[in-house]
Amino acid sequence: MNNPVTIIGAGLGGLTLARVLHVHGIPATVHEAESSPSARAQGGMLDIHDYNGQPALRAAGLTEEFRGIVLEGRQAIRVLDPDGTVLLDQPDDGTGGRPEVQRSELRRILLDSLPAGTVRWGQRADTVRALGGGRHEVAFADGTSVVTSLLVGADGAWSRVRPLLSDATPQYTGSSFVETYLFDADTRHPAAAQAVGGGSLYVLGPDGKMISAHRESGGTLHTYVTLTEPQEWFDGVDFADAAAAGARIAEEFTGWAPGLTSLITDSDTAPVLRPHHTLPAGHRWDRTPGVTLLGDAAHLAAQDGEGANLAMQDGAELGKALAARPDDIESALSAYERALFPRIAAATDASEAANQGTPTSEDLIAFFRRDDQPV
């Protein structure tokens, strides 16, 4: 493999692939639409699982760096009733298999592990076309282009690479997050801080309503408010007016404890709408020379806490497959996809089971108390 692997997207999956390739002496270039590593906030907390995300980091040779960014105590779990009654208060005893880290810090250690110039910032993929013989051309919005004999779409839900392989497009699931932040919460928002506790908070209400929040670094509370409504319903919320949007979303939680609704109404940032989309269950494609997918580009699923872990697992597995067969790209891609598709199916089945029906607080408590369920 004398020519660099061309990776579209510098998310966790694409960067994990680039790092594993680097470990094995295989060059790669990563083309990213964002203008710099700090161009936007990188999301909140991630629990990195001991059965997919952590093995991917081991394959990348970054276990020690990962341990250095783990936020101790954040595996604590609280489940409350909407009136504020504590139903479960499970501390972090240090034995759980899902340590929490900031997404931005995880991305940083991946970026820092790559040779200078590996990531080409400000290169948004515009068009992608097949040239024949397994070669593809990617044209970027800045007017530049690249021709490659191995193209990997790690470019998320609205992938520009996916149409080379599949006609599938993401579909709205029927629910959305509204995302808020409270800063310096112990001092400035004590009721909300007390409700959340030291780790993660979950509160389930009727009609698919849910408030989940996470204690991040620096006393930050990061909240995801879940509402099961058509997209047209959210069109009626003026998200350009932060106060009005917060008040409108909070109306859906009338009667809930003030410490919970303050996670919405007292947000120190404008509420951000995050609609949930999925690709069709069992999404797969025929082997197409010179191109493949990973992460959300391959298997976008409902929110279940697995997306980032699965993307890193994909990146690591693809990197190892290419390293094992450097003189036979098609054999490597075939081996990767043979393992990927059953993994997609299993993850999709688990996600659908977890999101089937309207869960209750009792369901959530039973889930967190399972002997085989690290938290």
Side-chain angles (χ1 to χ4, degrees):
M1 296 185 64
N2 296 319
N3 297 319
V5 178
T6 300
I7 303 166
I8 306 300
L12 298 179
L15 293 176
T16 301
L17 170 59
R19 169 61 183 178
V20 173
L21 291 174
H22 175 62
V23 167
H24 291 281
I26 299 173
T29 56
V30 184
H31 300 267
E32 169 54 45
E34 293 173 6
S35 59
S36 73
S38 59
R40 68 174 179 88
Q42 292 299 314
M45 299 277 284
L46 293 173
D47 52 332
I48 305 302
H49 306 165
D50 55 8
Y51 52 86
N52 48 20
Q54 291 181 48
L57 290 167
R58 282 198 295 273
L62 295 174
T63 296
E64 289 305 312
E65 290 83 350
F66 166 68
R67 289 174 178 163
I69 64 171
V70 168
L71 292 173
E72 300 297 336
R74 298 310 198 278
Q75 292 183 80
I77 298 289
R78 302 192 90 202
V79 179
L80 271 58
D81 256 350
D83 66 5
T85 301
V86 177
L87 303 176
L88 176 70
D89 195 351
Q90 186 165 280
D92 178 2
D93 64 3
T95 64
R98 301 186 178 199
E100 299 270 0
V101 300
Q102 296 280 161
R103 180 187 286 267
S104 59
E105 286 295 284
L106 183 56
R107 192 190 197 208
R108 177 187 60 78
I109 66 171
L110 284 164
L111 286 169
D112 288 350
S113 73
L114 296 173
T118 298
V119 180
R120 313 290 173 83
W121 300 99
Q123 292 206 309
R124 181 183 301 278
D126 190 9
T127 60
V128 185
R129 66 188 183 102
L131 301 177
R135 297 167 69 249
H136 295 85
E137 180 185 55
V138 183
F140 301 102
D142 65 1
T144 63
S145 63
V146 63
V147 174
T148 180
S149 57
L150 178 47
L151 176 64
V152 180
D155 48 342
W158 308 101
S159 171
R160 295 286 186 166
V161 179
R162 188 192 301 122
L164 293 171
L165 301 170
S166 166
D167 293 330
T169 57
Q171 301 297 313
Y172 180 57
T173 65
S175 72
S176 296
F177 280 156
V178 177
E179 185 179 20
T180 67
Y181 284 90
L182 273 62
F183 302 132
D184 193 17
D186 293 305
T187 301
R188 300 178 59 245
H189 308 284
Q194 183 178 10
V196 173
S200 296
L201 166 73
Y202 299 90
V203 190
L204 293 175
D207 305 320
K209 295 176 183 176
M210 180 176 178
I211 293 178
S212 60
H214 308 277
R215 181 177 287 270
E216 299 186 353
S217 59
T220 295
L221 302 182
H222 186 184
T223 301
Y224 299 95
V225 179
T226 302
L227 289 171
T228 302
E229 300 287 355
Q231 289 183 291
E232 292 77 14
W233 188 93
F234 293 98
D235 291 341
V237 179
D238 183 7
F239 284 96
D241 184 332
R248 178 65 191 90
I249 297 302
E251 284 180 17
E252 300 301 308
F253 297 85
T254 299
W256 289 43
L260 299 176
T261 55
S262 67
L263 290 164
I264 307 169
T265 57
D266 293 354
S267 179
D268 292 315
T269 60
V272 176
L273 177 64
R274 306 285 189 193
H276 298 160
H277 293 81
T278 64
L279 286 169
H283 178 238
R284 60 189 301 157
W285 53 88
D286 293 332
R287 172 89 293 280
T288 301
V291 60
T292 194
L293 305 171
L294 62 79
D296 283 350
H299 47 77
L300 179 67
Q303 299 294 317
D304 60 1
E306 292 286 355
N309 287 276
L310 290 173
M312 291 192 294
Q313 182 180 28
D314 291 350
E317 293 302 315
L318 177 54
K320 290 189 293 184
L322 290 167
R325 303 165 180 83
D327 298 322
D328 190 346
I329 290 175
E330 284 308 301
S331 175
L333 296 182
S334 294
Y336 163 70
E337 291 175 355
R338 280 197 304 272
L340 174 69
F341 295 143
R343 193 163 68 241
I344 290 175
T348 300
D349 289 345
S351 178
E352 289 181 344
N355 288 280
Q356 187 173 17
T358 302
T360 65
S361 297
E362 291 73 18
D363 295 331
L364 200 58
I365 292 169
F367 175 79
F368 287 126
R369 282 181 169 164
R370 281 167 44 195
D371 290 339
D372 64 340
Q373 177 61 49
V375 296

